Amino acid sequence: MALWVAAMRAEDYDAAWALAARTLAERDPATRDDPTLPYHLRWVWNGRAIDRRDVLVRCYHGLGDTIQFARFLPPLAARAASVTVEVQPRLCDLIATVGRGITIVPFYVARPLPPAEVDIEITELDFALRLPPDATPAPYLRAAAAPLPRGAVALCYGAGDWDGERSVPSALFAPLCRFAPCFTLMPEPTDLAVRNPQGCPLDMAHTAGLISGADLVITVDTMIAHLAGALGKPTWLLLKAEPDWRWSPDARRSAWYPTIRLYAQPRAGDWGTVIADVERDLAALGLPALEDSI
């Protein structure tokens, strides 16, 4: 796994795919899509060719993973006889904007679809297609923009329960609100000086609309980062010192999303330095201050 992560961060995709092929060859076919395992721990694709076959894409991981790998659905559709994507219900309408020739159905954990000619988990598509991220560049999803004021900044400081170390204490975002009209993307009330202190509804269309209408998104590593990147919005991504495999702590850019700028902690737990860097860069943008946009 460490070798694969290093290869992906180095953008050496041939090496990463070679490692994935070795892992696939070593798997016991009897454990494929093992119903005794949680969905996010299952493997699905057995290496069968996708060309001119009916393909079922299963979304067994998080919302961010689905958004990240949805970029590969159009090239998959160009090669397969048909493509059906079993998507988390909250994402169905959004993923449907990726392109034509793809059937979107909601994924209900209690009653998944029966197997097709080829089953594949969405995070396996780059490996199956042998395509790097820039083969299908962002933006590849679409959402109607909310009518926000000029210079609006959308903020997300929480990453949920999956990895609490990704979240930033909300109070640290307070200085950022001095430099622009800000909106929170968190589904909870906040004391931050934002235009929507009641929070953002837990609704994908509403969230995507705020992101599309903003000039800039500042977020921690969560689904919001993938959504903003997939929509092609300028995004500043705040990362813990040792982030997830898809982000390199030593880089300022992302091969997955060209509009994303990375801000990684210099030391574990040091959000103060990260926020100071973001505050400096935000001030340099010269966005309309909060009081100037009322």
Side-chain angles (χ1 to χ4, degrees):
M1 185 66 182
L3 291 174
W4 179 85
V5 170
M8 291 297 286
R9 286 179 172 175
E11 301 176 29
D12 187 353
Y13 301 111
D14 287 335
W17 296 329
L19 290 166
R22 186 186 311 168
T23 298
L24 179 60
E26 294 171 351
R27 283 173 171 158
D28 179 358
T31 65
R32 176 173 171 263
D33 206 9
D34 185 350
T36 67
L37 293 176
Y39 279 106
H40 71 280
L41 295 180
R42 301 185 193 186
W43 65 277
V44 180
W45 188 53
N46 61 3
R48 189 177 192 189
I50 59 174
D51 296 276
R52 297 177 297 281
R53 288 195 167 103
D54 296 322
V55 178
L56 172 58
V57 180
R58 301 188 186 271
C59 299
Y60 280 177
H61 288 72
L63 301 180
D65 298 285
T66 296
I67 292 170
Q68 178 183 1
F69 286 88
R71 71 183 68 223
F72 298 114
L73 293 174
L76 173 65
R79 291 175 52 179
S82 71
V83 173
T84 299
V85 190
E86 197 176 34
V87 179
Q88 298 95 330
R90 289 179 58 197
L91 290 182
C92 283
D93 290 343
L94 180 70
I95 300 302
T97 70
V98 77
R100 298 179 178 178
I102 299 167
T103 300
I104 303 293
V105 297
F107 171 38
Y108 296 115
V109 173
R111 51 181 191 280
L113 293 178
E117 281 188 281
V118 177
D119 275 25
I120 189 166
E121 212 282 329
I122 196 166
T123 59
E124 298 172 310
L125 287 180
D126 66 315
F127 170 40
L129 296 168
R130 299 301 198 275
L131 288 178
D134 60 5
T136 51
Y140 53 87
L141 298 180
R142 300 187 304 277
L148 303 187
R150 182 174 60 90
V153 176
L155 305 173
C156 176
Y157 52 79
D161 298 330
W162 180 257
D163 183 353
E165 293 182 351
R166 297 182 187 181
S167 297
V168 177
S170 61
L172 293 183
F173 270 51
L176 308 182
C177 298
R178 303 198 312 265
F179 298 101
C182 290
F183 293 78
T184 180
L185 297 172
M186 294 295 297
E188 62 186 19
T190 179
D191 293 329
L192 293 174
V194 295
R195 294 292 187 86
N196 58 338
Q198 75 283 358
C200 175
L202 196 60
D203 175 83
M204 193 56 61
H206 190 99
T207 302
L210 287 179
I211 290 173
S212 292
D215 284 42
L216 173 67
V217 176
I218 302 176
T219 181
V220 297
D221 182 13
T222 185
M223 178 272 295
I224 295 296
H226 295 284
L227 179 54
L231 293 170
K233 299 301 297 186
T235 303
W236 295 356
L237 176 56
L238 284 52
L239 298 168
K240 64 180 188 178
E242 182 51 45
D244 194 56
W245 65 266
R246 62 206 90 204
W247 321 116
S248 172
D250 302 317
R252 292 301 298 271
R253 57 171 291 276
S254 165
W256 292 92
Y257 307 108
T259 59
I260 281 185
R261 181 189 298 181
L262 307 180
Y263 293 82
Q265 292 176 342
R267 297 166 296 279
D270 183 4
W271 286 122
T273 298
V274 172
I275 294 296
D277 290 344
V278 169
E279 185 177 357
R280 178 200 63 220
D281 292 349
L282 189 58
L285 286 182
L287 296 174
L290 180 62
E291 59 270 18
D292 294 338
S293 65
I294 297 176

